[in-house]
Amino acid sequence: MAEVLLDRSDRVAVITVHDPGRRNALTLDLSDRLVAAVRACEDDPEVHAVVVTGAPPAFCAGADLTALGEAREEGLRRIYAGFLAVADCALPTIAAVGGAAVGAGLNLALACDVRLVNDDARFDARFLQLGIHPGGGMTWMLHRLAGPQVTTAMTLFGQVLGADAAVAHGLAWSRVDGGHDELVAAAVEFARPSAEASRDLVRTIKASLRATAKLADHADAVDTELTPQVASIGTPEFQARLAAMKARISSRG
């Protein structure tokens, strides 16, 4: 049964696109379910970070080819909606890429804030080989992450990046030894600092990261960060951590 699974534990949610027999290819229904899972995480005050993965053997083999063949603009936008919900998520997101991320599946991986991979990971644009133009903002996302040379190599020259190449070119943060379970566990552990921090602070920092990324001047970034930093200094969470730090310093003396 094609489904999107949502597991929550210790303030980290794991969203799994689960249709292994079809290599987790995105249908309209799966895309709708992915949107619903992301929204559920955003609405749950106990979720501070989100891991996105696909059931082995693939991460996501792209959009279902039947759906693509029948799609026009409205249908394409509905397929896009799943990975765009991840891209727009107010919480930190980590892709655990343990297999092929192809086409729309590449977009799903790119939509996350950070990507962790294992040896089975493959990043494959494949639009050109299918005879269709890239969609869903793939070229924009890939440019921002890996630059024009990697983007051109993948989209116009059919280059596929494995785990080590993805790390080397800045497409992934690190390679994890082991299979899918170890990869997801590593992604959950990677999310731990956000899970242990104030949810409001995590969301505010992510919003600031998005805002400052659009700015050209350092001074504007200083101004953008100033108001939320002042607000955070006045929170009970900061005051408690400051008191604990002072107590530790005093105990050493």
Side-chain angles (χ1 to χ4, degrees), residues 20-234:
R22 299 178 62 258
R23 301 177 66 82
N24 309 318
L26 290 177
T27 61
L28 298 179
D29 179 64
L30 274 180
S31 186
D32 291 345
R33 290 171 183 260
L34 185 54
V35 172
V38 174
R39 298 289 178 262
C41 293
E42 291 181 314
D43 292 341
D44 186 344
E46 291 302 311
V47 174
H48 290 205
V50 179
V51 173
V52 178
T53 193
F59 177 74
C60 176
D64 175 78
L65 292 179
T66 302
L68 270 182
E70 297 172 353
R72 294 296 181 266
E73 181 174 342
E74 183 178 349
L76 287 171
R77 287 190 179 277
R78 189 172 161 196
I79 291 173
Y80 299 163
F83 59 77
L84 290 180
V86 175
D88 293 337
C89 184
L91 299 168
T93 55
I94 304 164
V97 183
V102 182
L106 173 62
N107 284 358
L108 178 59
L110 297 178
C112 292
D113 298 316
V114 174
R115 283 145 298 283
L116 300 184
V117 296
N118 68 9
D119 283 340
D120 297 323
R122 298 290 182 273
F123 294 88
D124 185 356
R126 204 177 293 186
F127 290 100
L128 182 70
Q129 292 90 322
L130 291 174
I132 61 174
H133 193 282
M138 188 216 78
T139 57
W140 183 84
M141 290 189 289
L142 195 51
H143 262 293
R144 286 165 60 87
L145 282 169
Q149 179 169 247
V150 172
T151 302
T152 302
M154 292 181 67
T155 56
L156 285 176
F157 297 111
Q159 295 300 299
V160 177
L161 301 188
D164 290 336
V167 173
H169 290 295
L171 200 57
W173 174 256
S174 65
R175 179 176 61 80
V176 175
D177 292 329
H180 181 261
D181 291 346
E182 290 80 8
L183 175 63
V184 172
V188 170
E189 184 59 29
F190 193 90
R192 188 63 48 209
S194 287
E196 294 174 351
S198 158
R199 189 176 195 262
D200 287 341
L201 180 60
V202 167
R203 287 167 56 97
T204 301
I205 291 174
K206 179 160 179 177
S208 293
L209 286 169
R210 286 175 167 168
T212 56
K214 301 174 184 177
L215 301 177
D217 295 326
H218 188 182
D220 291 336
V222 171
D223 291 341
T224 298
E225 293 174 349
L226 184 59
T227 297
Q229 186 176 51
V230 169
S232 68
I233 289 171

